[in-house]
Amino acid sequence: MVAWLVGCVALLLTMNVQAQERSLPVDTTITQSDAVTVKGTEIPYEVTTGTQPVYHDDGHAMASLHYTYYERSDVDDRSERPLMISFNGGPGSGSLWMHLGYTGPRLLEIDDEGYPIQPYGVKDNPHSIIDVADIVYVNPVNTGFSRILDDEVERDQFFGVRADVSYLADWLDVFVSRQGRWTSPKYLIGESYGSTRVAGLAGALQNRHWMYLNGVILVSPTGLGMRPPGPSPRSEALKLPYYTAAAWYHEQLDAELQQRDLLDLLEEVEDYTLDVFIPALSRGGMLDAERRQQVAEEVARYAGVSTQTILNHNLAMPASYFWKELLRDEGYTIGRLDSRYKGLDRKNAGERYDYPPELISWNHAFTPAINEYLREELGFETDLQYNVFGPVRPWDGQGDHDVGEDLRQAMAQNPFMHVMVQAGYFDGATDYFSAKYVLWNMDPSGRLGERMRFEGYESGHMMYLRDEDLETSNEHIREFIEASTPMPGTPARY
């Protein structure tokens, strides 16, 4: 009996230790020093990884967010030193993508086109923007190591367009105060759904926290409420230039189009989309048979598929079918987020691929890299799983159609604020031409255009995974920061 009791106590103690090990410290930091050579200059920096609470209205910690913060250490006065606040998307995605793939001083080991290689791990990033800006990578609730602490708090406090923006704005207010960065020029960068997040945050930070930004960078942005929701003549038609890019990459166009320079060809297809394709689709079933056949032939030629395929879809072929169809005769599918990647399905028949080959490839490289880096190099000890994609459903999408207006209004109210879009031509999820459409329609007056910039790249959703675009896209961020930093004493006025 005594032995049984001792065993039970030992089991309870073990369970308690395990529970403690798998819990998240509410408020902690681990800091160390390092250096990286960027553009031929050694840049010393301090890197802090840790957690910071999300506070309830009554002041208690209801969640804790894990973050990693890089601060150049040879700078005495940070009043003019930019702070870049980085979010990834999903919703439900951790911050690892841009952290280890894009702007940070450490870069995951992949080949020059972005494919995984072994041994896994990280190396120095010679293109990091740490030379010109300090950077913090934030994991929203249930992504990365971030977790809810109070089981009694309703999930809708966190999981929805407006809830997400609200608690993150509060969290950033505390972070900026703790780090003493109120006078620094501040920037938001968000990828994919992260673009929805930072568009909303731009408005919330200015209107509720009186925190004014110098710039917002939208990487592979969503529609922000500016793009027609759901299937519609415009939303389907806007994909056509992307179809052309993907078909061009896989050499599926006819000989005349295939030999063209990609950017020159895309300009032609963009004009066709706006001037011919959208008007034709807008006529729906009233488009006469002869004109329907002509448009189907033209669209098929630009998309690298058969005319019958276009006719079978009433001229508006969905992207999901295109990913299955383009290389069907060769036995491959193509990626959604980056159509340079090819996949293998169980059978060639069907209307949609079995899996997204590009995302599987990225998970292959990023997951071991982020775990090794945070746990081994930075010393963040926890038995928690790093949620590359975390449980954030159900997600309240109400308010998604307001964030573009939030961003426009923030720009209108703040003459210092600039916006840049970065997009890959081979991204079929948040395609580049829809991103242009969003930028054009966010400001219908045309009076903010001088503070807006678009950059395209010959890669996909994570355009920075291609080595050539990693260098170029980071340089574009440097240029953007320089262009959006006013000279000392310049008044914010029209």
Side-chain angles (χ1 to χ4, degrees):
M1 183 67 175
V2 173
W4 178 80
L5 287 173
V6 170
C8 288
V9 170
L11 177 61
L12 288 171
L13 288 173
T14 301
M15 291 173 63
N16 186 48
V17 169
Q18 289 174 342
Q20 290 177 355
E21 289 175 347
R22 290 185 68 86
S23 65
L24 184 73
V26 178
D27 201 341
T28 187
T29 59
I30 302 169
T31 300
Q32 57 185 257
S33 299
D34 208 335
V36 63
T37 299
V38 178
K39 301 179 73 171
T41 300
E42 184 176 81
I43 310 296
Y45 64 86
E46 287 192 342
V47 52
T48 298
T49 190
T51 56
Q52 178 186 295
V54 177
Y55 293 108
H56 194 276
D57 290 342
D58 65 11
H60 82 276
M62 59 180 178
S64 189
L65 302 191
H66 178 255
Y67 67 92
T68 305
Y69 176 45
Y70 297 90
E71 193 173 55
R72 183 167 176 168
S73 55
D74 61 351
V75 175
D76 295 326
D77 180 7
R78 299 199 180 276
S79 63
E80 298 181 14
R81 172 78 172 164
L83 173 65
M84 184 71 68
I85 301 163
S86 180
F87 291 99
N88 274 97
S93 175
S95 67
L96 70 165
W97 312 106
M98 289 197 292
H99 183 179
L100 294 187
Y102 192 6
T103 52
R106 298 291 276 163
L107 185 70
L108 84 163
E109 292 276 7
I110 49 177
D111 79 353
D112 287 349
E113 291 297 313
Y115 290 88
I117 59 174
Q118 290 184 337
Y120 305 117
V122 294
K123 59 185 178 182
D124 282 348
N125 182 3
H127 309 299
S128 170
I129 61 169
I130 189 64
D131 58 329
V132 298
D134 298 331
I135 321 161
V136 59
Y137 299 92
V138 185
N139 291 289
V141 169
N142 277 5
T143 74
F145 292 133
S146 300
R147 296 294 190 273
I148 297 172
L149 301 176
D150 184 350
D151 292 337
E152 295 183 3
V153 173
E154 297 293 333
R155 291 171 64 87
D156 61 12
Q157 290 266 4
F158 309 106
F159 303 141
V161 175
R162 288 299 163 190
D164 182 72
V165 166
S166 180
Y167 87 81
L168 287 173
D170 293 344
W171 189 91
L172 287 173
D173 188 302
V174 175
F175 180 84
V176 168
S177 296
R178 286 187 174 190
Q179 304 301 328
R181 302 307 297 264
W182 274 98
T183 60
S184 301
K186 286 174 279 296
Y187 295 82
L188 298 176
I189 182 170
E191 178 180 87
S192 196
Y193 182 82
S195 64
T196 296
R197 177 174 287 137
V198 299
L201 278 170
L205 288 172
Q206 285 191 185
N207 294 328
R208 291 201 294 109
H209 296 269
W210 309 283
M211 186 185 295
Y212 286 74
L213 305 172
N214 281 55
V216 175
I217 302 172
L218 309 173
V219 178
S220 304
T222 60
L224 307 183
M226 302 293 122
R227 182 178 171 186
S232 71
R234 282 184 298 178
S235 65
E236 296 291 351
L238 293 172
K239 291 281 190 184
L240 182 58
Y242 149 71
Y243 292 158
T244 301
W248 179 90
Y249 179 83
H250 290 289
E251 300 183 346
Q252 298 299 304
L253 300 177
D254 66 36
E256 191 276 323
L257 294 181
Q258 194 64 54
Q259 67 184 2
R260 300 266 297 277
D261 173 76
L262 177 61
L263 299 188
D264 176 64
L265 176 58
L266 291 181
E267 185 177 353
E268 175 183 313
V269 182
E270 290 176 14
D271 289 341
Y272 176 85
T273 299
L274 294 175
D275 298 338
V276 179
F277 192 27
I278 288 177
L281 281 177
S282 299
R283 290 186 176 274
M286 298 302 293
L287 190 68
D288 67 75
E290 182 178 351
R291 183 65 176 138
R292 177 181 294 266
Q293 179 68 28
Q294 180 184 3
V295 170
E297 291 174 0
E298 293 165 347
V299 169
R301 180 169 179 261
Y302 283 136
V305 298
S306 71
T307 300
Q308 192 59 50
T309 293
I310 300 301
L311 288 170
N312 288 347
H313 289 97
N314 297 325
L315 304 183
M317 175 180 57
S320 58
Y321 189 85
F322 178 74
W323 302 325
K324 180 77 174 181
E325 176 68 17
L326 183 67
L327 299 182
R328 192 190 299 268
D329 290 347
E330 298 179 16
Y332 294 108
T333 63
I334 61 171
R336 168 178 174 263
L337 294 163
D338 191 331
S339 292
R340 296 176 303 152
Y341 291 70
K342 295 190 289 188
L344 291 170
D345 279 1
R346 181 181 177 87
K347 58 185 180 182
N348 283 348
E351 297 187 351
R352 188 177 178 87
Y353 56 44
D354 292 349
Y355 67 95
E358 79 296 339
L359 188 57
I360 299 301
S361 178
W362 298 340
N363 290 341
H364 188 165
F366 273 92
T367 306
I370 192 66
N371 276 281
E372 189 274 339
Y373 179 59
L374 293 177
R375 298 176 192 274
E376 303 301 324
E377 286 200 26
L378 300 189
F380 192 84
E381 296 182 5
T382 179
D383 279 351
L384 287 173
Q385 174 178 284
Y386 183 96
N387 284 339
V388 175
F389 299 104
V392 300
R393 304 292 178 182
W395 185 270
D396 182 1
Q398 296 300 315
D400 185 38
H401 304 305
D402 300 326
V403 293
E405 174 56 19
D406 291 345
L407 182 55
R408 185 210 64 79
Q409 189 176 90
M411 288 188 74
Q413 294 172 348
N414 179 1
F416 285 159
M417 185 188 289
H418 290 231
V419 169
M420 177 167 69
V421 168
Q422 296 182 303
Y425 297 122
F426 306 126
D427 180 0
T430 57
D431 64 282
Y432 88 91
F433 194 51
S434 292
K436 282 188 175 183
Y437 179 94
V438 167
L439 207 59
W440 297 336
N441 286 274
M442 193 174 76
D443 171 38
S445 74
R447 286 175 288 187
L448 303 177
E450 291 185 357
R451 288 187 276 143
M452 293 180 170
R453 174 174 177 172
F454 175 88
E455 294 293 344
Y457 307 90
E458 290 192 29
S459 44
H461 194 73
M462 299 182 190
M463 71 288 168
Y464 45 81
L465 296 186
R466 180 170 175 258
D467 188 65
E468 180 180 330
D469 292 320
L470 173 67
E471 179 178 5
T472 304
S473 56
N474 273 303
E475 192 60 33
H476 288 156
I477 293 179
R478 289 187 184 86
E479 295 169 0
F480 179 74
I481 290 173
E482 183 178 4
S484 56
T485 304
M487 294 294 293
T490 302
R493 59 178 293 181
Y494 289 115

